[in-house]
C-alpha cells in the first residue's frame, strides 16, 4: 500500500488559540478514512487546512509523494485533492449540468472532461434525470450528489467530504453513504468527516476520533463501533 495522504504534526490556530494541535494521521491509497468528533472538535478546520483554505501554524501535509503544505488551493486540486464542502455550497440558480461543469473549469482536456462527466452520471443516474433542473430545486440527497459529482469532475485521487449526511433523512443518509462507497470503489481515496458517527465508522477502513483538537483514538471503523468510549460519547449508548 502507498500513502495517499500523510499529515504530520499539524497545528492550526485562530489567533492565539490552537484549534488543532499536533495532529498526525495517514490515509493509505484506496481507503475510506473518517474523522469523527463532537461539534467544535476541529474537523472542519483540518479539512480546510488540507485543501489550503486555512493556514497551518506548523506541520506538513503530503499528498502521495508531494508536499502540498504551502500550495494554494487550486494547485492542490491540480495535484488530485478535492473537497465536498460542508453545506454543499451549490449554485442553486444554476442547473445540475452547470454545477458539474464548474468542477472541471480549470481542465483543458475536453475529451477527459466529457469522460468524467459521463462517469459521474453513471455513478449518479439520478443526476442524468435532473440534468437541466436548477440545483436549488433538488432534494437534499440529490444536492449532495451534485456536490460530490462536482468534486469528482476534478478527477481527484483523494476526496474530502465534510459532513455529507448533515440534515438528511435516515434513508437518504444511507443513499449518500452508499454513494461514498461507490466513489471509493472507483479507486478514489476518501476522507470523510462526520457527526453521524455510526454511518461513517461502518464503512471506514481507518477512523480517528478528534477531541478538542487532538486525535485521541485510532482504529478501523467497525472496531471503533464496539469501543466503549466511542459508544458512549458518539453512538448514544450508555
Ligand atoms: P462542526 O461539526 O461544528 O463543524 P468541527 O469539529 O468542524 O465542528 P471546527 O469548525 O473545525 O470544528 O472548529 C474547531 C474550533 O475552532 C472550535 O472551537 C471553533 O469555535 C473554533 N473556530 C472555528 N472557526 C473559527 C474562526 N473562524 N475563528 C475563531 N475560532 C474558530
Amino acid at each position: 500500500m502507498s500513502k495517499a495522504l500523510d499529515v504530520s504534526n499539524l497545528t492550526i490556530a485562530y489567533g492565539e488559540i490552537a484549534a488543532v494541535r499536533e495532529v498526525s494521521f495517514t490515509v493509505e491509497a484506496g481507503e475510506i478514512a473518517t474523522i469523527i468528533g463532537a461539534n467544535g472538535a476541529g474537523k472542519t478546520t483540518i479539512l480546510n487546512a488540507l485543501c489550503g483554505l486555512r493556514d497551518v501554524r506548523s506541520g506538513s501535509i503530503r499528498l502521495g509523494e508531494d508536499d502540498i503544505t504551502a500550495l494554494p488551493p487550486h494547485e492542490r486540486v491540480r495535484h488530485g485533492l478535492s473537497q465536498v464542502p460542508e453545506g454543499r455550497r451549490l449554485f442553486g440558480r444554476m442547473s445540475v449540468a452547470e454545477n458539474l461543469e464548474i468542477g472541471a473549469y480549470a481542465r483543458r482536456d475536453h475529451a477527459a472532461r466529457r469522460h468524467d462527466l459521463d462517469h459521474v452520471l453513471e455513478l449518479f443516474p439520478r443526476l442524468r434525470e435532473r440534468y437541466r433542473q436548477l440545483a436549488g430545486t433538488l432534494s437534499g440527497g440529490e444536492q449532495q450528489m451534485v456536490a460530490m459529482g462536482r468534486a469528482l469532475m476534478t478527477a481527484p485521487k483523494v476526496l474530502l467530504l465534510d459532513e455529507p449526511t448533515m440534515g438528511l433523512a435516515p434513508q437518504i443518509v444511507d443513499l449518500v453513504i452508499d454513494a461514498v462507497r461507490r466513489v471509493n470503489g472507483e479507486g478514489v481515496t476518501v476522507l470523510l468527516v462526520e457527526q453521524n458517527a455510526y454511518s461513517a465508522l461502518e464503512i471506514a477502513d481507518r477512523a480517528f476520533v478528534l477531541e478538542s483538537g487532538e486525535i485521541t483514538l485510532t482504529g478501523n471503523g467497525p472496531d471503533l463501533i464496539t469501543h466503549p468510549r466511542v459508544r458512549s460519547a458518539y453512538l448514544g449508548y450508555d
Side-chain angles (χ1 to χ4, degrees):
M1 278 219 254
S2 65
K3 291 177 184 174
L5 188 64
D6 190 24
V7 172
S8 182
N9 298 317
L10 206 60
T11 294
I12 312 157
Y14 295 103
E16 288 304 303
I17 300 160
V20 170
R21 286 186 300 276
E22 297 281 320
V23 161
S24 299
F25 63 90
T26 297
V27 184
E28 301 285 341
E31 281 186 333
I32 297 180
T34 186
I35 303 176
I36 62 167
N39 249 328
K43 305 181 296 298
T44 297
T45 301
I46 291 176
L47 287 198
N48 284 343
L50 294 183
C51 61
L53 299 174
R54 175 131 324 262
D55 287 341
V56 307
R57 180 152 294 177
S58 57
S60 69
I61 303 163
R62 296 183 78 84
L63 186 71
E65 298 295 306
D66 306 316
D67 187 334
I68 61 164
T69 320
L71 294 184
H74 67 277
E75 284 289 329
R76 299 185 196 210
V77 174
R78 265 189 357 103
H79 276 74
L81 185 72
S82 190
Q83 175 166 206
V84 183
E86 189 172 347
R88 307 187 265 277
R89 310 248 183 95
L90 297 181
F91 296 95
R93 305 185 68 150
M94 287 166 66
S95 68
V96 168
E98 288 164 329
N99 272 278
L100 293 176
E101 277 160 22
I102 282 169
Y105 79 97
R107 296 172 61 193
R108 305 253 174 274
D109 182 343
H110 289 275
R113 276 167 65 158
R114 184 72 232 174
H115 173 271
D116 288 340
L117 179 60
D118 284 342
H119 189 225
V120 165
L121 296 176
E122 264 164 42
L123 208 55
F124 305 124
R126 197 56 180 256
L127 299 188
R128 202 187 288 278
E129 291 165 31
R130 301 273 190 252
Y131 201 55
R132 296 285 163 207
Q133 208 166 310
L134 297 186
T137 65
L138 303 187
S139 71
E142 289 168 345
Q143 289 192 13
Q144 189 59 49
M145 285 173 203
V146 178
M148 286 172 71
R150 181 180 57 187
L152 290 173
M153 289 296 290
T154 68
K157 295 183 195 129
V158 176
L159 186 66
L160 311 175
L161 294 131
D162 196 352
E163 311 253 6
T165 71
M166 187 160 55
L168 301 179
Q171 84 241 54
I172 311 298
V173 168
D174 291 347
L175 227 112
V176 169
I177 292 291
D178 185 55
V180 172
R181 242 196 196 126
R182 277 184 289 139
V183 167
N184 175 251
E186 302 287 325
V188 179
T189 304
V190 170
L191 177 60
L192 171 67
V193 156
E194 265 298 341
Q195 278 198 43
N196 193 339
Y198 196 91
S199 302
L201 290 174
E202 259 189 326
I203 61 164
D205 301 296
R206 196 180 286 253
F208 312 102
V209 176
L210 189 71
E211 293 178 318
S212 306
E214 292 180 52
I215 290 181
T216 53
L217 265 179
T218 302
N220 76 41
D223 280 356
L224 285 194
I225 287 179
T226 64
H227 193 287
R229 213 162 91 227
V230 172
R231 288 176 76 78
S232 64
Y234 302 106
L235 301 177
Y237 296 100
D238 295 329

